[in-house]
Amino acid sequence: MRTYKMWIGGEWADADSGRTFRTYNPANGEAVAEVPLAGLPDVDKAVNAARAALPAWRKRARQSAPQQSAASLQLCVTTRTSSPSLKY
């Protein structure tokens, strides 16, 4: 069974409380993953991170399609380089 974290503000994070819960495959009832049980402090962190990122995303929305493609490609390369354990 895999264990996941939340992606908040550009970082992987556990729930502030440290609590988790299991998710199950509805077809067979098999446990699929253990995920963070987010609480209000986690929601506040995520909302604050989203607000901080909004100006950059607004700027990106005004870019041309080729500029957006180049930025997306750079994000993929950076992610792959900094997190080689990610599977695509």
Side-chain angles (χ1 to χ4, degrees), residues 6-36:
M6 300 177 290
W7 183 254
I8 299 176
E11 297 179 355
W12 293 109
D14 291 317
D16 198 50
S17 68
R19 294 177 61 197
T20 62
F21 68 97
R22 285 192 177 158
T23 60
Y24 295 90
N25 180 331
N28 61 17
E30 180 181 320
V32 176
E34 193 82 19
V35 297

Side-chain angles (χ1 to χ4, degrees), residues 5-83:
K5 293 187 177 207
M6 300 177 290
W7 183 254
I8 299 176
E11 297 179 355
W12 293 109
D14 291 317
D16 198 50
S17 68
R19 294 177 61 197
T20 62
F21 68 97
R22 285 192 177 158
T23 60
Y24 295 90
N25 180 331
N28 61 17
E30 180 181 320
V32 176
E34 193 82 19
V35 297
L37 181 59
L40 289 177
D42 304 304
V43 173
D44 287 342
K45 287 178 192 174
V47 168
N48 289 335
R51 283 186 178 137
L54 184 59
W57 281 100
R58 279 189 178 145
K59 180 181 175 186
R60 186 169 186 261
R62 290 189 293 267
Q63 293 176 333
S64 67
Q67 289 172 317
Q68 287 184 15
S69 294
S72 295
L73 178 60
Q74 183 58 45
L75 176 62
C76 290
V77 169
T78 301
T79 302
R80 182 67 175 183
T81 303
S82 63
S83 301

